[in-house]
Amino acid sequence: AQGSCPNPIALGAINTTPTSAEFVWNSTGTETQWEIIIQMDGAAAPGNNVSGETVSTMSYYADFLIPLTGYDVYVRAICSSTEQSSWVGPFHYYYYPPVANDDCSSPTVLTVNSNNQCTQSAVAVFLGSTVSSEPNYCGNNNDEDVWFKFTATSAVHVVELSNFSGSALPIVLTMYSGASCNSLQQIHCSSVNHITATGLVAETDYLIRASINATNTTKDVTFSICVNTPNLSGN
């Protein structure tokens, strides 16, 4: 019976490899046991009379996953021998190899356009990215982030996102100065898919962190990012 047994929340995956993942969740009650079910993507959701594997921690290490295979994960709380919560899920899981620009130390280098056009741009995606540990992130949430770098050629540049495949994601752009990832200074922040960055120093490197400013968002969206140079002369 479900009764007042509280549902687990924030079901997700950490420490992922092509063949394993640690599925984790949070509790809103005082229960000390949970059940988990891992099944193939698209299979019918388990009914309340279906049992899963019982665990006594809010995590489950699965080392039997098949590469390039999708899974649906469900979790429920056990409050007593006769009372469980509803099944929470599905959490859709698929392993994606880490993206090359997942970390501050390995950003994608952007070519600065010499005019206000985006002739030179880079294609970006969040699939396979993780949450970076660097502070001074300016959004409310950070579900995943990727990094970019450019070398300024003037005092003002525009960083612009465009060409979203599917729905535009709630992305926050944080722009930093600093000689290394250990000394980043946040200088600009935007949640409207572009930054007009002023006060830049030519021949100086700047970092851009693009973050999904939400949780449990669709990640399989590609987009373009470019840095251009606005014409400020009025001509």
Side-chain angles (χ1 to χ4, degrees):
Q2 279 69 61
S4 59
C5 192
N7 291 341
I9 60 172
L11 177 57
I14 60 174
N15 301 326
T16 59
T17 77
T19 58
S20 65
E22 184 179 359
F23 297 105
V24 295
W25 55 91
N26 291 327
S27 168
T28 58
T30 59
E31 72 279 7
T32 59
Q33 285 190 316
W34 298 264
E35 286 181 286
I36 183 169
I37 289 177
I38 302 171
Q39 59 189 29
M40 292 299 180
D41 184 23
N48 292 328
N49 60 336
V50 176
S51 298
E53 184 161 351
T54 301
V55 295
S56 56
T57 60
M58 286 179 284
S59 68
Y60 179 82
Y61 178 67
D63 60 358
F64 50 79
L65 305 181
I66 302 171
L68 305 179
T69 302
Y71 293 90
D72 286 344
V73 183
Y74 295 83
V75 171
R76 71 178 176 184
I78 302 174
C79 291
S80 71
S81 60
T82 58
E83 187 178 23
Q84 303 87 31
S85 74
S86 299
W87 284 111
V88 172
F91 169 69
H92 300 292
Y93 175 77
Y94 190 98
Y95 174 80
Y96 293 92
V99 291
N101 61 336
D102 186 31
D103 298 320
C104 173
S105 58
S106 57
T108 295
V109 177
L110 301 174
T111 300
V112 175
N113 292 275
S114 59
N115 54 29
N116 62 0
Q117 303 300 308
C118 283
T119 306
Q120 298 286 332
S121 63
V123 176
V125 67
F126 286 103
L127 287 176
S129 64
T130 58
V131 177
S132 301
S133 60
E134 282 76 14
N136 300 322
Y137 165 71
C138 62
N140 298 320
N141 299 284
N142 184 1
D143 204 24
E144 294 180 1
D145 56 43
V146 288
W147 293 81
F148 306 88
K149 181 174 75 171
F150 71 93
T151 303
T153 60
S154 74
V156 181
H157 287 298
V158 175
V159 180
E160 184 177 315
L161 306 184
S162 61
N163 300 325
F164 285 87
S165 65
S167 301
L169 294 169
I171 293 175
V172 160
L173 295 172
T174 311
M175 187 170 169
Y176 304 95
S177 63
S180 74
C181 293
N182 296 323
S183 59
L184 297 180
Q185 302 296 317
Q186 179 186 317
I187 57 174
H188 290 286
C189 179
S190 171
S191 59
V192 293
N193 291 340
H194 70 267
I195 291 175
T196 299
T198 59
L200 306 182
V201 178
E203 305 304 321
T204 300
D205 291 341
Y206 295 91
L207 282 162
I208 302 162
R209 179 190 211 166
S211 311
I212 300 180
N213 189 37
T215 56
N216 299 322
T217 314
T218 300
K219 309 295 193 306
D220 55 345
V221 174
T222 60
F223 59 95
S224 297
I225 180 170
C226 83
V227 180
N228 62 46
T229 309
N231 180 4
L232 302 178
S233 64
N235 297 327

